[in-house]
């Protein structure tokens, strides 16, 4: 009987320690606000729970109740929320609701944080669920490199804006974890809270309040401590020599002479008697052993630090890539690739087409070339061999040569066509490798243990980035879910079962749970997938069909994100090559079509947009050229639908030397000029002998001035067919 009473008293004490609103016992002032306990009322409550609750307001003075919240009002709010169920934990007592009227989601404040809800500690203290919360974006016109570490804790950070990763709105280079900036705000207070890099205060605080960071209206915590800086008034006055020769001890310091304690000129926190360190009696400049080692033993740093060129910690960034080879252990040494990918254009980046955004990265490429030999059909193997070289430099131009007979169609031996063909076949083979799974054109990352051991995710990401910048085709086979996992676009959009790879064992298990029509069927589905639920951390009792939605969402997130953390991270790091990942992260909506929309064939509209027309200034010539442009557009339409003996690929190859439009676009931009027959006076003059001409090096096409569409079409078909017929044997 006595034991039962003790246990009951322990339960009562634990209930008293729990917050009366959220029922959590956590006591972290930075994340949940100060936890206040009113012993006389047997009541404990988090300050943030009070601020964000929908039905309670500060009707008292600051010294009444809990910071102005009256006890009766708090108890009334507890009774009101007791009927409301949290959509996260499925328990009652949810006192926080989404501020969007059409949204009915209610949650406890700690549960909302776990599900990426945002509570704004200003105005009427509104809260928003994950679907309606504020987000940060990377605006246009920025000249920056995305960071790799939190500017507060300095730990690694994924440069993807999300609920957990925020950035400074002023300098755009200070990125940090949400918990880190919240703890900084709690420590610094309203008067000292500012960006750690640019020192901006006003716009920084405004943005952090918008993103749900609580800034206490008080002085910094270090300013509130009694005698916090008293040690700064003290002067170090102790001998730290290995053997102190002073008879009066290490703490004795004479006013002058052998036993005066002199301090290290560099750190000031180490001292010695002159005699104990065998110094001259008039020595004033002295450095301790630790500072001497840190300065490579250069005594001149002590005597005249201004006159010596110190070694820069960033000196490696300026080395030539040829002198900084990459180790195969790229998990720990990415110096070479990062030194290339971190280069950014000197001019600000403006939003535009994907081609224009990729062209910003082209100044990194150098005129030197690297030889790539492709044996037979092994295009992907040749690419992997290239990026795994110890001296691999992604800025070198690829010089491709097919060395053996291949079963692949149209594989030229060398030249620009060989490089473009290599990159096209490379993207095709990457799509079908073990790194990806799913239907054609909508691939997700696959979890493959051998690929993890071989670091294949990094290599494939590196090859795709290399292809995009060096003139390869658009990727085109990413699923929208994979693009969202990599670049967080669209932001805060929950993944569903439909995003999972179809026809896989894990998808079947999740579908079985999602499609259960009763609690009995749901229980059977969960029992058959007990091992999977255990690994996913979701093996919990489900009491209603409403709780099934949260379970399915957790299983989808585990399958596509949690268990794929390492492959996703290594794939992102591979895409960092030549700055591709950074550029896509800056403009994720613009690049969606490059990664997710396959361009299997050319269209007349696509080819027509490639060319700019250079008209003549003379009015008589301008009239004839305008008619020819109409013939040209009609000819493109006939090539597209098969009413011409040549295809759009043939026409593009005749005009520019390439069969497919690269993701980076055609450089220089293709243009159209006109061939006027000499002495043309009458419109009915014969023009059958006039044929189009092209200059593939300059991407310039010269169209013949023809009196009718039939003459124009005939001359175009004859010239293009003849050129393509000559090119194929020469390159095969």
């Amino acid at each position: 009987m006595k034991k039962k009473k003790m246990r009951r008293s322990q339960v009562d004490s634990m209930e008293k320690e729990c917050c009366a609103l959220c029922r959590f016992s956590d006591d972290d002032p930075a994340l949940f606000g100060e936890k206040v306990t009113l012993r006389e009322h047997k009541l404990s409550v988090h300050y943030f729970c009070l601020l964000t609750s929908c039905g309670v307001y500060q009707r008292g003075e600051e010294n009444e109740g809990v910071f102005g919240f009256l006890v009766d009002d708090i108890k009334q709010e507890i009774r009101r929320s007791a009927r409301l169920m949290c959509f996260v934990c499925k328990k009652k007592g949810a006192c926080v609701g989404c501020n969007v009227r059409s949204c009915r989601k209610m949650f406890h404040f700690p549960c909302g944080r776990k599900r990426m809800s945002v509570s704004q500690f200003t105005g009427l203290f509104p809260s928003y669920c994950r679907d309606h919360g504020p987000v940060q974006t990377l605006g246009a016109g920025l000249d920056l490199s995305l960071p790799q570490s939190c500017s507060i804790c300095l730990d690694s950070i994924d440069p993807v804006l999300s609920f957990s990763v925020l950035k400074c709105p002023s300098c755009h280079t200070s990125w940090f974890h949400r918990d880190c900036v919240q703890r900084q705000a709690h420590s610094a207070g309203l008067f000292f809270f500012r960006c750690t890099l640019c020192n901006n205060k006003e716009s920084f605080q405004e943005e952090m309040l918008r993103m749900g960071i609580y800034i206490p209206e008080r002085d910094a915590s270090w300013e509130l401590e009694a005698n916090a800086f008293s040690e700064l008034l003290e002067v170090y006055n102790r001998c730290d020599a290995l053997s102190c020769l002073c008879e009066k001890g290490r703490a004795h310091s004479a006013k002058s002479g052998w036993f005066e304690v002199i301090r290290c000129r560099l750190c000031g926190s180490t001292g010695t008697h002159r005699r104990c360190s065998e110094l001259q009696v008039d020595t004033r400049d002295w450095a301790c052993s630790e500072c001497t080692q840190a300065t490579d033993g250069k005594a001149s740093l002590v005597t005249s630090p201004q006159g010596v060129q110190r070694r820069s910690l960033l000196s490696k960034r300026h080395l030539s890539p040829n002198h900084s080879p990459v180790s195969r252990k790229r998990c720990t040494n990415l110096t070479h690739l990062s030194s290339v990918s971190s280069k950014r254009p000197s001019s600000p980046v403006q939003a535009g087409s994907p081609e224009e955004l990729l062209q910003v990265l082209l100044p990194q490429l150098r005129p030197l070339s690297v030889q790539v030999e492709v044996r037979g059909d092994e295009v992907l193997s040749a690419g992997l061999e290239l990026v795994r070289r110890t001296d691999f430099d992604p800025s070198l131009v690829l010089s491709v040569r097919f060395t053996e007979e291949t079963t692949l169609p149209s594989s030229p031996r060398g030249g620009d066509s060989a490089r473009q063909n290599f990159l096209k076949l490379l993207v095709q083979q990457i799509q079908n490798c073990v790194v990806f799974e799913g239907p054609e054109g909508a691939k997700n990352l696959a979890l493959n243990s051998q690929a993890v051991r071989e670091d294949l995710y990094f290599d494939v990401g590196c090859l795709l980035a290399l292809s995009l910048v060096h003139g390869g085709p658009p990727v085109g086979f990413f699923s929208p879910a994979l693009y969202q996992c990599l670049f967080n676009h669209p932001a805060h959009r929950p993944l569903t079962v439909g995003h999972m790879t179809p026809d896989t064992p894990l998808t079947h298990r999740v579908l079985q749970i999602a499609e259960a029509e009763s609690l009995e069927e749901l229980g059977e589905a969960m029992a058959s997938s007990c091992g999977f639920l255990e690994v996913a951390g979701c093996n919990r009792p489900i009491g209603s069909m409403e709780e099934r939605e949260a379970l399915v969402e957790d299983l989808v997130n585990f399958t596509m994100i949690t268990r794929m953390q390492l492959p996703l991270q290594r794939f992102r790091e591979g895409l960092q090559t030549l700055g591709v990942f950074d550029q896509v992260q800056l403009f994720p909506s613009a690049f969606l079509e490059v990664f997710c929309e396959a361009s299997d064939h050319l269209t007349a509209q696509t080819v027509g947009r490639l060319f700019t027309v250079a008209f003549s200034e003379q009015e008589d010539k301008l009239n004839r050229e305008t008619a020819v442009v109409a013939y040209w557009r009609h000819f493109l339409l006939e090539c597209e639908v098969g009413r011409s003996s040549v295809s759009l690929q043939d026409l593009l190859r005749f005009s520019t030397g390439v069969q497919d439009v690269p993701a980076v676009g055609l450089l220089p931009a293709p243009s159209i000029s006109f061939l006027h027959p000499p002495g043309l006076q009458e419109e009915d003059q014969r023009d059958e002998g006039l044929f189009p001409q092209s200059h593939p090096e300059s991407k310039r096409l010269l169209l013949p001035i023809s009196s009718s569409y039939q003459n124009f079409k005939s001359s175009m078909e004859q010239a293009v067919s003849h050129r393509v017929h000559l090119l194929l044997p020469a390159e095969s």
Side-chain angles (χ1 to χ4, degrees):
M1 190 70 177
K2 189 175 181 180
K3 290 184 178 178
K4 289 185 178 180
K5 288 183 178 179
M6 290 180 60
R7 290 175 181 172
R8 182 55 184 267
S9 64
Q10 291 175 354
V11 171
D12 291 341
S13 64
M14 290 179 62
E15 289 180 352
K16 292 178 184 177
E17 293 176 359
C18 291
C19 173
L21 290 171
C22 69
R23 311 307 301 172
F24 282 80
S25 60
D26 303 66
D27 189 6
D28 190 338
L31 300 183
F32 303 102
E34 184 177 350
K35 185 179 178 184
V36 180
T37 300
L38 302 177
R39 299 292 180 186
E40 64 274 17
H41 297 284
K42 298 181 180 180
L43 179 68
S44 294
V45 66
H46 290 128
Y47 185 43
F48 289 177
C49 292
L50 284 174
L51 290 177
T52 58
S53 294
C54 297
V56 62
Y57 300 92
Q58 289 171 297
R59 297 194 303 118
E61 300 297 330
E62 287 294 327
N63 57 354
E64 292 184 83
V66 180
F67 303 116
F69 291 94
L70 301 181
V71 175
D72 291 340
D73 292 345
I74 296 175
K75 292 182 178 180
Q76 177 64 28
E77 176 65 6
I78 295 172
R79 289 191 293 270
R80 184 194 70 85
S81 61
R83 303 186 301 271
L84 304 175
M85 180 178 293
C86 174
F87 85 99
V88 179
C89 67
K90 305 304 179 183
K91 296 180 181 179
K92 293 185 177 180
C95 58
V96 186
C98 181
N99 195 49
V100 178
R101 289 189 176 184
S102 60
C103 183
R104 310 296 296 176
K105 290 182 179 178
M106 300 292 296
F107 46 89
H108 303 104
F109 178 79
C111 294
R113 280 187 59 89
K114 293 180 181 178
R115 285 299 179 91
M116 297 183 288
S117 67
V118 173
S119 296
Q120 296 176 341
F121 297 95
T122 183
L124 295 178
F125 297 88
S127 297
Y128 301 91
C129 67
R130 178 175 63 180
D131 297 332
H132 302 116
V135 297
Q136 288 187 309
T137 58
L138 288 169
L142 301 182
D143 179 19
L144 55 93
S145 294
L146 297 179
Q148 301 299 319
S149 62
C150 171
S151 62
I152 298 176
C153 69
L154 302 182
D155 286 344
S156 61
I157 191 173
D158 286 339
V160 179
L161 289 174
S162 62
F163 173 81
S164 303
V165 178
L166 305 176
K167 72 173 181 68
C168 173
S170 299
C171 63
H172 301 285
T173 55
S174 178
W175 290 42
F176 29 76
H177 302 107
R178 173 179 287 271
D179 287 351
C180 291
V181 73
Q182 178 60 80
R183 295 188 184 280
Q184 181 198 9
H186 182 265
S187 176
L190 182 65
F191 301 103
F192 288 91
F193 182 52
R194 60 193 67 202
C195 176
T196 55
L197 293 186
C198 69
N199 214 31
N200 180 276
K201 182 178 179 180
E202 293 183 2
S203 60
F204 179 73
Q205 289 189 3
E206 182 180 353
E207 176 70 1
M208 292 303 103
L209 286 172
R210 187 181 74 88
M211 296 307 299
I213 301 301
Y214 173 72
I215 309 174
E217 294 184 8
R218 56 165 171 79
D219 210 340
S221 58
W222 58 82
E223 294 285 353
L224 302 177
E225 298 179 13
N227 300 321
F229 305 102
S230 58
E231 67 274 6
L232 297 180
L233 302 177
E234 299 177 1
V235 177
Y236 194 83
N237 213 21
R238 177 181 173 83
C239 177
D240 296 311
L242 294 177
S243 177
C244 182
L245 304 178
C246 182
E247 296 179 354
K248 296 182 180 181
R250 294 181 179 272
H252 172 72
S253 177
K255 293 183 179 180
S256 61
W258 292 111
F259 293 103
E260 178 187 3
V261 173
I262 61 173
R263 290 171 295 279
C264 174
R265 282 185 59 88
L266 298 182
C267 67
S269 60
T270 306
T272 181
H273 294 121
R274 292 189 179 90
R275 175 62 61 83
C276 300
S277 294
E278 299 181 353
L279 303 176
Q280 298 294 326
V281 71
D282 58 347
T283 299
R284 286 290 176 185
D285 294 332
W286 170 78
C288 64
S289 58
E290 293 182 0
C291 292
T292 302
Q293 293 176 2
T295 56
D296 295 338
K298 296 179 180 179
S300 56
L301 288 179
V302 180
T303 56
S304 180
Q306 294 86 0
V308 180
Q309 183 180 3
R310 300 195 183 191
R311 182 178 57 183
S312 172
L313 296 178
L314 300 178
S315 59
K316 286 187 178 180
R317 295 182 181 271
H318 306 291
L319 292 177
S320 169
N322 292 335
H323 296 87
S324 180
V326 182
S327 168
R328 181 62 193 136
K329 301 291 185 180
R330 283 169 295 164
C331 291
T332 57
N333 184 7
L334 295 171
T335 304
H336 175 65
L337 286 182
S338 63
S339 67
V340 176
S341 64
S342 64
K343 292 180 181 178
R344 309 295 297 160
S346 57
S347 58
V349 180
Q350 300 292 336
S353 65
E355 294 83 5
E356 294 171 339
L357 296 173
L358 284 175
Q359 288 170 12
V360 174
L361 306 176
L362 292 180
Q364 303 174 72
L365 302 185
R366 298 191 290 161
L368 302 177
S369 63
V370 57
Q371 184 71 33
V372 181
E373 293 190 355
V374 183
R375 295 178 293 276
D377 304 343
E378 300 175 357
V379 176
L380 179 56
S381 299
L384 293 176
E385 182 181 347
L386 169 67
V387 300
R388 290 173 179 176
R389 295 178 186 176
T390 57
D391 59 346
F392 169 61
D393 184 352
S395 65
L396 298 182
V397 176
L398 302 180
S399 177
V400 180
R401 179 172 175 268
F402 289 82
T403 59
E404 298 178 7
E405 291 297 328
T406 174
T407 59
L408 297 172
S410 64
S411 297
R413 294 283 185 180
D416 292 342
S417 298
R419 179 177 68 253
Q420 292 160 0
N421 195 66
F422 165 75
L423 295 175
K424 178 180 179 180
L425 298 174
L426 178 65
V427 173
Q428 293 176 357
Q429 292 192 7
I430 285 177
Q431 179 180 185
N432 299 318
C433 72
V434 297
V435 166
F436 296 99
E437 64 180 9
E440 192 80 12
K443 298 286 187 177
N444 290 324
L445 276 187
L447 184 59
N448 186 284
S449 58
Q450 184 176 355
V452 172
R453 288 195 302 270
E454 296 177 356
D455 204 12
L456 190 58
Y457 296 95
F458 177 90
D459 295 331
V460 167
C462 180
L463 286 172
L464 289 178
L466 198 72
S467 173
L468 288 174
V469 180
H470 281 265
V475 177
F477 62 81
F478 281 18
S479 70
L482 175 56
Y483 193 80
Q484 182 178 347
C485 292
L486 289 171
F487 305 107
N488 192 33
H489 179 81
H492 301 323
R493 185 73 59 83
L495 296 175
T496 64
V497 184
H499 290 114
M500 297 180 65
T501 306
D503 300 326
T504 64
L506 294 184
T507 304
H508 286 309
R509 292 183 183 275
V510 179
L511 276 175
Q512 190 177 9
I513 294 174
E515 295 174 353
E517 298 181 354
S518 64
L519 284 176
E520 184 178 356
E521 289 186 17
L522 181 60
E524 293 176 358
M526 293 179 64
S528 63
S529 303
C530 181
F532 172 52
L533 294 175
E534 195 73 37
V535 173
C538 299
N539 193 13
R540 58 179 183 261
I542 302 297
S544 65
M545 297 299 288
E546 288 75 16
E547 297 179 19
R548 180 190 61 180
E549 297 180 5
L551 174 63
V552 171
E553 184 177 349
D554 291 342
L555 291 175
V556 173
N557 288 335
F558 169 78
T559 305
M560 301 195 67
I561 299 177
T562 306
R563 74 185 186 105
M564 299 297 296
Q565 279 296 320
L566 181 58
L568 284 170
Q569 176 63 24
R570 295 302 291 153
F571 193 57
R572 287 193 193 102
E573 292 173 356
L575 287 173
Q576 288 279 7
T577 304
L578 293 171
V580 171
F581 180 86
D582 293 355
Q583 195 74 329
V584 178
Q585 180 59 39
L586 287 171
F587 307 100
S589 58
F591 280 96
L592 182 63
E593 62 184 65
V594 174
F595 285 88
C596 299
E597 298 179 10
S599 54
D600 296 332
H601 61 278
L602 292 173
T603 64
Q605 186 179 9
T606 303
V607 177
R609 283 201 306 259
L610 292 176
F611 292 86
T612 58
V613 182
F615 289 103
S616 301
E617 296 182 359
Q618 295 88 345
E619 185 175 355
D620 56 339
K621 290 186 176 181
L622 178 61
N623 293 333
R624 300 187 188 100
E625 292 169 355
T626 304
V628 171
V629 169
Y631 298 159
W632 160 256
R633 291 171 180 168
H634 186 65
F635 182 65
L636 292 178
L637 291 174
E638 290 200 341
C639 292
E640 180 181 4
V641 299
R643 294 180 182 174
S644 173
S645 60
V646 298
S647 64
L648 288 175
Q649 282 79 9
D650 295 335
L651 187 59
L652 186 65
R653 193 173 188 181
F654 171 81
S655 307
T656 65
V658 300
Q659 282 184 304
D660 302 287
V661 181
V664 73
L666 293 171
L667 293 175
S671 63
I672 289 178
S673 300
F674 301 92
L675 287 173
H676 290 270
L680 181 60
Q681 300 294 337
E682 301 294 337
E683 292 186 1
D684 58 352
Q685 184 171 341
R686 299 175 60 84
D687 53 16
E688 289 84 350
L690 203 58
F691 294 97
Q693 298 179 13
S694 66
H695 302 280
E697 300 81 8
S698 59
K699 305 291 187 295
R700 184 182 174 209
L701 174 64
L702 288 85
L703 297 180
I705 296 296
S706 302
S707 58
S708 67
Y709 174 72
Q710 291 300 326
N711 291 341
F712 177 84
K713 179 180 179 181
S714 175
S715 63
M716 291 292 295
E717 288 179 337
Q718 292 183 52
V720 173
S721 299
H722 180 70
R723 174 70 65 85
V724 172
H725 178 73
L726 292 177
L727 287 176
L728 287 176
E731 294 181 348
S732 60

